[in-house]
Amino acid sequence: MAEKEASVSLHEKSDNGHSSMPSSEEFAPDAKFEKRVLRKIDVRLLPILGTLYTIAMVDRSNISVARISGLDEDVGLNVENRASVALLVFFIGYMLFELPSNMIIHRVGAANWLSLIVFAWGLVSMGIGFLNNWVALAVLRSFLGVFEAGFYPGCVYLISSWYRRYEVQKRLATFFMTGSALSAFANIFALGLIQISKTHTTYKGWRWIYIIEGVITCVAAIVAWFVIVDFPDSHRNTFLTAEESAFVKARLAEDRGSEEHEKVTWAVFVETITDWKVWSFALMYSAGAVGVYAFLFFLPLILRSGMGYSQELAFVLSAPPALFSVVEGMFISWLADKMHLRGLFVIIQGVVAVIGLCMTGFLEAPVPRYIGTFLGEAGVNGLVVTTLAWQANNLRGDAKRACATAVMIGISGLGGIYSSLVFRQQDAPDYVPGIIAVMAICIAAVIAACISIVVLRWENRRADEGKKILDGLADFRYTI
């Protein structure tokens, strides 16, 4: 019980025993004041980032609906392993440029950097609508990966910088699930865009998908520059009063110790990549990412060819599983924050994902297989959100969190390559080997979560006994 209380009630101080800034109690805020400040942060931060993440999800995954709308035939993508190549090249740049992006976002400013890269990938997306061969498609998708690389880890880093440890999962879930919910309608929107080709026959339907969605991305990037807020310690923020800003900094310092902005150095990078927790969280997160990409890229194909639904129904039926995953994920996130637990919910979500994938892969009738997609998609999305929060809770230091977030999400790029390779063209239309491969990594994530719980609990017990100081702060305890 003492261990639980220690991990929940944190009044962290700097190493000399005194906080470097006034505590939140010194401001004597009432509950209404605190709620008002948090609401202002929520409103300025979460809707715009969630909307941009929706756009990112749509722009990287619209190749799935384009493929059943004429892309394969027009550019020769349905030959041998060309489709796998076009999918996986996205993740090469995506993996390589995530860490450099998180190293500079604090210096450049969140609004400046995020808006710039969103505008850049919008131009690339438009360009795909005008190409005529699969090589050009692969090249432009590789550039798409380069520009999208900095967006997601930058958003996670920004969000986790504004909230206390047991407030963050609900916010990360809101951000991530907003993208999942709105992108669920992307296929239906794409179905509408295809109709343009019936009156404007110059371009086929799949081309209009890329052109129109690319224009929308560029417009959203311009709007985002005026809306996105910066990090809590930045002078660029003007949406909070001086009192509100000081209160935010004080409550963050009280929660996880005084953390002035740290520069990301090679020493910090080495410290991060030699921390076992980072790799354990990366495995769990990658399992969720593999499943997310699998459903994004291949669910419309499985619905269309594997389950025998029409093109229109394949577009429409891909939305409900994603919407269900939002409801389930938000409930799990609320419960995890309320209980101050993370690992248990990683295990639960992993098991739910495996059950759903079994139903989709091994049942015969279309309806039970389709029900399985609800559980599978809910499980893998929940793995992503819960692991993000678990890592953010257990790493102290601004620079280390920036590195760890980029490393974790960068490693998940391997998950995108993994899903691109295991869902092979020769296994169409049911892609059973690919489904088994996703199940395998979800099982590995559950095992990693079980081991992590045991080790973190042991580390907390040693700290309670005075045998070890965790992350340089005597009162700090790991979240289980």
Side-chain angles (χ1 to χ4, degrees):
M1 183 67 183
E3 176 183 316
K4 182 177 180 182
E5 289 175 355
S7 66
V8 172
S9 300
L10 297 177
H11 297 282
E12 302 173 0
K13 299 176 182 179
S14 59
D15 294 337
N16 63 8
H18 299 284
S19 177
S20 63
M21 63 180 66
S23 71
S24 58
E25 282 83 356
E26 292 184 33
F27 289 93
D30 56 24
K32 291 183 178 179
F33 177 82
E34 183 174 34
K35 287 182 179 179
R36 187 178 77 243
V37 172
L38 286 176
R39 191 179 303 114
K40 287 178 71 172
I41 298 170
D42 289 342
V43 169
R44 283 296 301 270
L45 196 61
L46 301 180
I48 185 61
L49 294 185
T51 300
L52 293 177
Y53 181 56
T54 302
I55 291 171
M57 296 282 281
V58 170
D59 286 344
R60 80 177 62 166
S61 65
N62 53 15
I63 188 172
S64 62
V65 292
R67 289 186 64 191
I68 59 175
S69 304
L71 174 66
D72 278 9
E73 295 77 14
D74 285 358
V75 303
L77 200 62
N78 55 351
V79 177
E80 297 179 343
N81 64 346
R82 291 179 179 179
S84 293
V85 171
L87 289 175
L88 69 85
V89 292
F90 170 90
F91 297 100
I92 297 174
Y94 190 78
M95 292 171 56
L96 293 176
F97 287 91
E98 284 186 328
L99 181 59
S101 175
N102 259 23
M103 293 173 71
I104 66 173
I105 186 173
H106 212 129
R107 183 181 307 171
V108 175
N112 295 333
W113 184 245
L114 295 177
S115 300
L116 174 64
I117 59 179
V118 172
F119 189 83
W121 90 59
L123 294 178
V124 172
S125 185
M126 277 192 289
I128 293 176
F130 298 99
L131 55 80
N132 294 301
N133 62 78
W134 80 275
V135 174
L137 173 65
V139 170
L140 287 184
R141 277 190 58 82
S142 68
F143 278 107
L144 191 67
V146 169
F147 292 126
E148 283 202 30
F151 177 76
Y152 186 64
C155 289
V156 172
Y157 177 29
L158 180 62
I159 292 170
S160 62
S161 297
W162 275 98
Y163 299 100
R164 285 177 168 176
R165 296 201 300 163
Y166 299 117
E167 296 169 344
V168 75
Q169 183 166 342
K170 292 190 291 289
R171 271 72 182 195
L172 288 173
T174 301
F175 160 68
F176 183 81
M177 294 302 182
T178 296
S180 297
L182 296 180
S183 62
F185 296 99
N187 292 346
I188 300 174
F189 180 55
L191 180 61
L193 295 179
I194 290 172
Q195 310 310 311
I196 298 176
S197 63
K198 295 180 179 180
T199 55
H200 296 77
T201 56
T202 306
Y203 297 116
K204 290 189 176 180
W206 69 266
R207 296 184 184 276
W208 285 113
I209 293 174
Y210 280 107
I211 294 170
I212 300 300
E213 290 181 352
V215 170
I216 292 173
T217 301
C218 291
V219 172
I222 296 171
V223 174
W225 187 82
F226 295 96
V227 179
I228 295 175
V229 303
D230 216 319
F231 292 87
D233 61 349
S234 174
H235 67 276
R236 301 182 184 95
N237 290 323
T238 58
F239 75 106
L240 294 177
T241 66
E243 180 187 14
E244 291 169 342
S245 180
F247 172 69
V248 168
K249 294 174 185 177
R251 71 195 299 273
L252 292 174
E254 183 184 36
D255 179 60
R256 56 195 180 212
S258 179
E259 290 182 355
E260 298 300 328
H261 171 57
E262 304 168 300
K263 185 178 180 181
V264 176
T265 63
W266 280 111
V268 172
F269 176 69
V270 171
E271 180 188 357
T272 302
I273 64 173
T274 54
D275 187 336
W276 70 270
K277 299 190 298 296
V278 172
W279 297 105
S280 180
F281 294 138
L283 173 59
M284 299 175 221
Y285 183 88
S286 294
V290 167
V292 169
Y293 288 128
F295 280 106
L296 278 175
F297 292 145
F298 296 100
L299 181 57
L301 297 173
I302 293 173
L303 290 170
R304 176 72 178 93
S305 303
M307 300 186 192
Y309 293 108
S310 66
Q311 183 190 47
E312 290 76 13
L313 272 178
F315 278 89
V316 173
L317 291 178
S318 59
L323 293 175
F324 174 75
S325 75
V326 172
V327 176
E328 192 262 4
M330 291 301 297
F331 173 73
I332 289 292
S333 297
W334 171 82
L335 195 59
D337 274 351
K338 185 177 180 63
M339 296 177 65
H340 295 180
L341 291 174
R342 301 289 185 243
L344 172 64
F345 293 101
V346 169
I347 295 170
I348 291 172
Q349 295 290 62
V351 171
V352 169
V354 170
I355 293 172
L357 289 164
C358 282
M359 293 175 65
T360 302
F362 302 120
L363 297 181
E364 296 292 335
V367 172
R369 291 182 68 192
Y370 181 58
I371 292 173
T373 66
F374 283 73
L375 297 178
E377 194 152 355
V380 296
N381 276 284
L383 272 176
V384 168
V385 172
T386 309
T387 305
L388 281 173
W390 201 6
Q391 177 184 263
N393 288 172
N394 286 323
L395 295 175
R396 288 193 67 250
D398 179 74
K400 189 172 183 179
R401 274 199 308 276
C403 280
T405 300
V407 168
M408 181 175 71
I409 298 173
I411 293 299
S412 75
L414 290 175
I417 295 175
Y418 181 84
S419 62
S420 301
L421 292 176
V422 298
F423 283 82
R424 303 172 301 175
Q425 186 66 30
Q426 58 262 43
D427 298 323
D430 293 317
Y431 297 100
V432 173
I435 292 174
I436 293 173
V438 177
M439 289 170 52
I441 195 169
C442 286
I443 292 171
V446 170
I447 295 172
C450 291
I451 295 172
S452 297
I453 289 172
V454 172
V455 177
L456 292 175
R457 195 180 298 277
W458 176 68
E459 294 274 29
N460 281 349
R461 188 176 300 114
R462 292 183 66 199
D464 290 340
E465 295 169 354
K467 297 178 180 178
K468 184 175 183 179
I469 295 177
L470 302 179
D471 279 12
L473 192 66
D475 292 334
F476 184 79
R477 296 295 182 271
Y478 292 129
T479 299
I480 306 298

